[in-house]
Amino acid sequence: MGKVVILGVFVADTAYRAARMPNLGETIMGTSFTLGPGGKGSNQAVASARMGAETHIISKLGQDDFSKLAFDTWRKAGVIPHVQQLSSSYTGAAHIFIEDSTGDNAIIVAPGAATLIDIAFIHAHAALIADTDVFVTQLEQPMDAAMCGLEIARAAGVTTVLNPAPAAILPDGMLALCDYVTPNETECEFLTGISVRTQSQAKRACDVLRDLGVGTPIITMGEQGAFVHGLGLVPAVIAGNVIETTGAGDAFNGGFAAALAEKRTPLDAVRYGCATAGISVTKAGTAPSMPSRNMVDRLMRSGN
């Protein structure tokens, strides 16, 4: 099935629902609470492993209950962790407030030990990175660590994927290290200055990313699908009623990376990514709602 190595972050998502945000100094009663696994790198690793790829994650955690949640999540999905646990820090967590009436949210993220992922830690895993089929990273860990991982992978001839999220200013030369870059519309506009709402706008933005050195830009466009440079729009895959779109981008990236690792064409890999995302938003998969390979294959065979 191929091998995928992901450099990224685990964050425990703590989500609270209430009628409104409390004022400073005020306590109000909430209507619900959930605790679950999050972090872009971790979510993408779970999606990739559930798709059947041999999937490894490189990260740092604390020595606490949230780290146990991380290891349990990876064990159930079949992700192989390469993780340093630090007694001097804590596992990342996110406080998510959701307003009952609108569904709008406000989020505080405290990355904890993941902020201590450094170049020396990446070099300690250079052999793992150089011996994979696909290397994936995002921008939740320090930028220099992501850059270092991409440099090691590129030097070894490994296929490189950058999911530039959350949006950030990139160092010179970073995009030129990437075979694929997978921003959503907002992240793409941050990188290119082009608002992406239509296919023609997506094509212009992809041309800009190509000029910056990207091999194949791919813009994820929500319910429209994914726009691939040179191939056009690959339609979204409808798998059922949409329950929650959080994590859909991570599902796409994990499914896409797993398909690339098994030597699928870029077009087929994007289709697998869209199918993985399409199922994830129905919450039909396992935590964090990532579908199995059998679920994805059945959906693709159905022609949806």
Side-chain angles (χ1 to χ4, degrees), residues 231-287:
L231 297 174
L233 185 70
V234 177
V237 177
I238 307 303
N241 293 329
V242 176
I243 304 299
E244 171 61 59
T245 60
T246 302
D250 296 333
F252 173 88
N253 279 280
F256 173 69
L260 283 180
E262 64 178 72
K263 311 306 181 188
R264 297 275 177 174
T265 66
L267 178 58
D268 278 347
V270 171
R271 287 171 173 159
Y272 270 97
C274 288
T276 306
I279 298 173
S280 77
V281 300
T282 69
K283 298 305 174 189
T286 190

Side-chain angles (χ1 to χ4, degrees), residues 37-302:
K40 292 183 181 301
S42 178
N43 288 346
Q44 291 170 16
V46 169
S48 172
R50 294 273 292 165
M51 277 286 289
E54 177 190 325
T55 305
H56 302 250
I57 187 167
I58 301 171
S59 195
K60 290 191 179 186
L61 303 171
Q63 295 178 353
D64 47 34
D65 287 340
F66 284 166
S67 71
K68 296 175 185 176
L69 175 62
F71 284 118
D72 187 53
T73 299
W74 297 334
R75 177 183 57 79
K76 289 178 179 177
V79 176
I80 303 166
H82 302 264
V83 170
Q84 182 181 9
Q85 289 187 266
L86 304 175
S87 60
S88 58
S89 190
Y90 57 88
T91 302
H95 166 95
I96 305 170
F97 164 78
I98 304 168
E99 186 176 59
D100 274 334
S101 61
T102 65
D104 291 339
N105 61 53
I107 301 173
I108 301 172
V109 179
T115 63
L116 302 175
I117 297 174
D118 56 15
I119 291 176
F121 185 64
I122 304 306
H123 277 295
H125 295 88
L128 175 68
I129 295 170
D131 189 40
T132 192
D133 296 302
V134 178
F135 174 76
V136 183
T137 192
Q138 324 74 31
L139 303 178
E140 290 187 320
Q141 70 284 313
M143 189 73 72
D144 58 353
M147 183 81 166
C148 182
L150 290 167
E151 289 172 341
I152 292 169
R154 173 51 63 90
V158 170
T159 298
T160 53
V161 180
L162 172 65
N163 176 221
I169 297 173
L170 304 182
D172 291 343
M174 189 176 204
L175 290 174
L177 295 170
C178 303
D179 292 305
Y180 300 93
V181 171
T182 59
N184 64 20
E185 302 104 310
T186 301
E187 294 149 3
C188 187
E189 182 174 358
F190 186 90
L191 290 174
T192 66
I194 298 171
S195 175
V196 178
R197 299 292 181 271
T198 66
Q199 293 186 50
S200 61
Q201 291 171 330
K203 182 181 184 304
R204 286 174 50 219
C206 281
D207 289 341
V208 171
L209 291 171
R210 280 278 295 172
D211 290 342
L212 292 170
V214 176
T216 303
I218 299 169
I219 305 171
T220 56
M221 300 178 66
E223 62 185 11
Q224 293 188 66
F227 190 92
V228 185
H229 180 268
L231 297 174
L233 185 70
V234 177
V237 177
I238 307 303
N241 293 329
V242 176
I243 304 299
E244 171 61 59
T245 60
T246 302
D250 296 333
F252 173 88
N253 279 280
F256 173 69
L260 283 180
E262 64 178 72
K263 311 306 181 188
R264 297 275 177 174
T265 66
L267 178 58
D268 278 347
V270 171
R271 287 171 173 159
Y272 270 97
C274 288
T276 306
I279 298 173
S280 77
V281 300
T282 69
K283 298 305 174 189
T286 190
S289 300
M290 300 304 178
S292 68
R293 179 58 181 266
N294 285 339
M295 294 169 70
V296 173
D297 283 342
R298 284 199 301 271
L299 180 62
M300 304 237 344
R301 285 196 298 268
S302 73

